[in-house]
């Protein structure tokens, strides 16, 4: 397989332009390839299911007939309207204690797919002139250690078994290889360090749970129009940002394809291609 067949493109604007030039249906209209039928009756847990991509995933799963297990720090009217099979509130994933509580709170049997979606990106662009070490530690705690706290709690609870899948929503920002293209001037230290750490965590976890028959996907969800990316509003259209409802379908399409053979790979949900670490 050539590198261009295997890897996605680091230049987001050029990647979107090429997809349009090539009328790439997988990229431009996920409904041409995505079949949600595999989700019917499956128990799927989503962290951060109260808003943004997490809420869109919750809606997508509910529509597909999956049993939604919402794991959230705070709830929302929109999430509660979906009437999740299980709604576990108050899980701040920076707290060791609250994640131990999660281990005891989860009730309804094995989870087929766990989607670690909750994350954080400080609003201001971080440069050498405004470095914020506390924000950096907070971001690493939420984005890299948090999903490990949640996943290990569910493993200890016996909720993740042979055949279960764990999806880590990290970010293309965690690719060290892509920094020369995406951050030619540096910046965004805390966020990008946190996602690189999340990728490492997920790669190690994939190795450790291999013998249990659990596959781990490391996914960039694509560029989605959410509260987190509002600061990039001016480039949404030129870089192909999508509504979170589309992003959710892309994620579930890749979650469906995730297997023991692809476990530990870093995948761009925009085009289904790999991102180099
Ligand atoms: N949007 C994009 O284009 C994009 C691109 C690359 C990667 N991502 C990743 O995709 C995921 C979802 O992003 P989004 O755009 O939907 O973000 P968002 O709209 O800002 O939502 C963030 C979610 O994370 C939860 N969260 C934050 N801190 C938490 C904590 N300490 N404990 C538990 N939950 C916490 C929030 O819950 P509260 O409501 O309680 O704060 C919220 O549900 C994130 O991991 C993000 O890094 C997004």
């Amino acid at each position: 397989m050539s590198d261009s067949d295997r890897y996605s493109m680091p230049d987001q604007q050029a990647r979107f332009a090429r997809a349009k030039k090539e009328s790439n249906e997988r990229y431009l209209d996920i409904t041409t390839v995505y079949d949600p039928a595999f989700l019917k009756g499956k128990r799927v847990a989503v962290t951060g299911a109260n808003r943004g991509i997490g809420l869109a995933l919750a809606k997508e799963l509910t529509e597909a007939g999956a049993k939604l297990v919402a794991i959230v720090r705070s709830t929302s009217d929109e999430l509660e309207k979906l009437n999740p099979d299980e709604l576990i509130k108050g899980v701040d994933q920076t707290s060791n204690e609250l994640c131990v509580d999660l281990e005891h709170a989860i009730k309804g049997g094995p989870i087929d797919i766990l989607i670690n979606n909750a994350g954080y990106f400080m609003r201001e662009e971080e440069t050498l002139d405004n470095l914020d070490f506390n924000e950096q530690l907070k971001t690493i705690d939420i984005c890299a250690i948090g999903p490990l706290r949640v996943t290990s709690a569910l493993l200890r609870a016996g909720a993740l078994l042979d055949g279960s899948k764990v999806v880590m929503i990290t970010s293309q920002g965690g690719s060290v290889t892509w920094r020369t293209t995406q951050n030619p001037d540096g910046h965004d230290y805390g966020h990008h360090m946190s996602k690189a750490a999340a990728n490492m965590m997920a790669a190690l976890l994939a190795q450790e749970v291999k013998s249990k028959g659990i596959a781990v996907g490391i996914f960039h969800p694509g560029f989605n129009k959410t509260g987190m990316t509002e600061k990039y509003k001016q480039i949404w259209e030129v870089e192909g940002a999508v509504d979170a409802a589309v992003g959710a379908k892309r994620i579930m399409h890749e979650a469906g394809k995730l297997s023991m053979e692809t476990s530990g790979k870093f995948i761009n949900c925009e085009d289904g291609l790999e991102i180099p670490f």
Side-chain angles (χ1 to χ4, degrees), residues 47-55 71-75 90-95 116-121 138 141-143 146 150 168-173 191 194-195 219-229 232 236 241-242 244 251:
T47 66
N50 57 319
R51 62 188 171 95
I53 296 173
L55 178 64
I71 300 172
V72 292
R73 173 168 64 177
S74 37
T75 185
V91 185
D92 183 324
Q93 62 186 34
T94 62
S95 159
N116 279 291
N117 158 78
Y120 175 71
F121 195 162
K138 172 179 158 183
D141 204 0
I142 295 172
C143 294
V150 168
M168 299 291 181
I169 303 294
T170 71
S171 170
Q172 61 182 355
H191 176 266
S194 82
K195 293 297 191 176
F219 290 1
H220 167 59
F223 194 13
N224 289 264
K225 299 174 185 174
T226 65
M228 185 177 282
T229 63
Y232 301 125
W236 272 354
V242 294
I251 290 167

Side-chain angles (χ1 to χ4, degrees), residues 160-185:
L160 295 169
L161 300 170
D162 194 348
S164 295
K165 301 183 188 188
V166 175
V167 170
M168 299 291 181
I169 303 294
T170 71
S171 170
Q172 61 182 355
S175 165
V176 175
T177 309
W178 279 9
R179 280 324 88 212
T180 46
T181 305
Q182 297 190 340
N183 286 76
D185 303 317

Side-chain angles (χ1 to χ4, degrees), residues 52-192:
I53 296 173
L55 178 64
L57 283 165
K59 288 180 179 164
E60 177 62 34
L61 291 163
T62 306
E63 246 169 61
K67 293 175 190 153
L68 173 67
V69 179
I71 300 172
V72 292
R73 173 168 64 177
S74 37
T75 185
S76 65
D77 289 347
E78 277 178 291
L79 173 61
E80 301 227 0
K81 257 191 236 148
L82 297 175
N83 199 16
D85 207 50
E86 228 176 314
L87 173 54
I88 304 176
K89 297 185 251 189
V91 185
D92 183 324
Q93 62 186 34
T94 62
S95 159
N96 296 337
E97 292 73 26
L98 292 171
C99 289
V100 169
D101 290 351
L102 167 65
E103 176 186 341
H104 301 293
I106 187 98
K107 292 271 183 292
I111 289 168
D112 296 292
I113 309 175
L114 162 64
I115 305 177
N116 279 291
N117 158 78
Y120 175 71
F121 195 162
M122 73 185 262
R123 187 155 285 278
E124 300 74 33
E125 186 171 43
E126 195 184 21
T127 73
L128 281 178
D129 297 328
N130 68 340
L131 287 177
D132 190 331
F133 301 125
N134 289 329
E135 276 286 310
Q136 291 181 9
L137 287 169
K138 172 179 158 183
T139 311
I140 292 167
D141 204 0
I142 295 172
C143 294
I145 307 174
L148 186 57
R149 285 194 188 91
V150 168
T151 307
S152 60
L154 297 182
L155 279 162
R156 286 193 305 275
L160 295 169
L161 300 170
D162 194 348
S164 295
K165 301 183 188 188
V166 175
V167 170
M168 299 291 181
I169 303 294
T170 71
S171 170
Q172 61 182 355
S175 165
V176 175
T177 309
W178 279 9
R179 280 324 88 212
T180 46
T181 305
Q182 297 190 340
N183 286 76
D185 303 317
H187 305 176
D188 288 331
Y189 292 86
H191 176 266
H192 292 357

